[in-house]
Amino acid sequence: MKKVLLLVPLICSVIILSAQKDFKWKFSTSGRIYATPLIDGNRVYIGSGDSVFYAIDKTNGTNIWSFKTAGAIQSSASKSDNLIMFGCTDGNLYALEKETGKLSWKFSSEGEKVKDMWDYYQSSPVTANGIVYWGSGDGHMYALDAKTGQLVWKYLTEGIVHTDAAVRDDKVYFGSYDGNLYALSADKGELIWKFKTVGDTYFPKGDIQRGALIDSNIVYFGSRDYNIYALSAKTGRGKWNMKERGSWIIATPYSYKGYLYFGTSDTHRFYCLRKSDGEVIWSIPLNMRAYGSAVAKDDIVYFGCFNGKLYGVDYKTGKIRSEFKTDGCKANYSNVYDKNGKFREDFELYGKDYINSERIIHTLGSILSTPVIDGNVIYFGSSDGGLYAVDIAL
């Protein structure tokens, strides 16, 4: 496979053109929110690390109903007819009546599993043609009847499956922590092809942590082996790859006007690549990781960062047009960063007490949630426990 080598990245100047926007509302939970909000009609649906799934009024942020589970909710929700479905760390996939929050059915996997402390997400259910596809820490991709929760088929991999499935042209595409990207038949779960990531010295399996993007018969996805890959959706053969040395690429890439957008982990950057060949168009420096995917409106690409900031950048140049800080970021930013936005001398991200350092990072109100735009409002979750609704109208 041909590699596109990035020799000298273009670092765009950082220009803040708009002041901090006030949020329309913030709904507070008692756990971290990693999930992507689901908007349906006048409601926003989302789960939290406090083991509660919420239905929230979109206009004012008030709670309509809530449902208690037996584990943290790190899966985003999806809708199928009158049901709202989501996965949970208790090993179950739940289907609730969207109007009342009453349990319709529950499917139990063989048990959840976590790879490491950076394994923040669980598989989110994806529904197509009356079948819901959902991955589990037990290594399976499950296909269930969306109305009843009855098992249609299951496929076992050799690693944790926390990626979201992508369904296209009667195929289901998903990655596993075993380092393979799989293409199965949607109706029977039979293997059509699988692609093995290259791997790297420290991450030889090339674990795939989040879901793939299918666009114009090309599959795009990132890996813990520092690569972003583009494959033929039909054959699984490589089109191109770009290696970001020293940094996982966790986020599902976002496609907009012929370009791909994604953030990185330890190199703390946000990239714009030409979709056709992986050529780097621009990249901008951050001071923390970006795991969530991006979203765009009116040629502004929005994405969240572990530093508690939601950025809006020009899709062509990467110039920062807006910046929103979570409450956690406003309250605790100086505990981690100096006045120049660099790590304080007394803060060590991956030192002996890296577990505590990670805890401190989350006090910034880290944004691992992928934002969702509805009208002129952008919705996203935060590690400070808040679901935010922010007006992005100019």
Side-chain angles (χ1 to χ4, degrees), residues 223-240:
S223 169
R224 285 189 174 193
D225 69 359
Y226 311 151
N227 281 285
I228 179 170
Y229 295 91
L231 315 178
S232 164
K234 182 177 181 180
T235 66
R237 299 288 294 175
K239 295 292 186 178
W240 56 259

Side-chain angles (χ1 to χ4, degrees), residues 263-295:
T264 68
S265 63
D266 295 316
T267 53
H268 301 167
R269 304 194 68 81
F270 187 79
Y271 274 95
C272 171
L273 268 56
R274 190 163 57 209
K275 191 165 59 176
S276 60
D277 58 8
E279 183 71 23
V280 176
I281 304 302
W282 53 257
S283 71
I284 57 174
L286 305 171
N287 60 6
M288 240 297 154
R289 317 176 196 112
Y291 273 19
S293 298
V295 65

Side-chain angles (χ1 to χ4, degrees), residues 125-139:
V126 174
T127 303
N129 300 319
I131 304 295
V132 57
Y133 303 93
W134 174 64
S136 170
D138 66 13

Side-chain angles (χ1 to χ4, degrees), residues 115-129:
K115 172 73 174 183
D116 51 37
M117 65 182 295
W118 298 282
D119 185 12
Y120 285 114
Y121 304 97
Q122 284 185 287
S123 177
S124 302
V126 174
T127 303
N129 300 319

Side-chain angles (χ1 to χ4, degrees), residues 229-361:
Y229 295 91
L231 315 178
S232 164
K234 182 177 181 180
T235 66
R237 299 288 294 175
K239 295 292 186 178
W240 56 259
N241 71 294
M242 188 275 278
K243 186 163 187 173
E244 173 73 351
R245 294 186 181 276
S247 189
W248 297 344
I249 297 175
I250 302 300
T252 300
Y254 177 72
S255 175
Y256 186 71
K257 293 190 174 182
Y259 301 105
L260 291 178
Y261 300 87
F262 61 92
T264 68
S265 63
D266 295 316
T267 53
H268 301 167
R269 304 194 68 81
F270 187 79
Y271 274 95
C272 171
L273 268 56
R274 190 163 57 209
K275 191 165 59 176
S276 60
D277 58 8
E279 183 71 23
V280 176
I281 304 302
W282 53 257
S283 71
I284 57 174
L286 305 171
N287 60 6
M288 240 297 154
R289 317 176 196 112
Y291 273 19
S293 298
V295 65
K297 180 180 173 64
D298 298 331
D299 293 342
I300 301 297
V301 176
Y302 298 90
F303 66 95
C305 182
F306 271 69
N307 63 11
K309 296 181 181 181
L310 180 79
Y311 295 95
V313 301
D314 185 283
Y315 88 105
K316 283 187 176 180
T317 67
K319 288 184 178 179
I320 297 179
R321 300 301 189 188
S322 66
E323 183 181 286
F324 175 86
K325 299 177 182 178
T326 62
D327 286 346
C329 179
K330 287 185 285 186
N332 300 310
Y333 196 77
S334 62
N335 295 334
V336 177
Y337 299 103
D338 62 23
K339 63 181 180 180
N340 297 315
K342 305 292 184 182
F343 286 126
R344 288 172 38 148
E345 291 184 1
D346 59 353
F347 180 84
E348 191 174 12
L349 184 58
Y350 297 121
K352 292 181 179 180
D353 197 9
Y354 67 91
I355 294 176
N356 188 52
S357 294
E358 194 75 2
R359 181 195 62 78
I360 294 172
I361 285 292

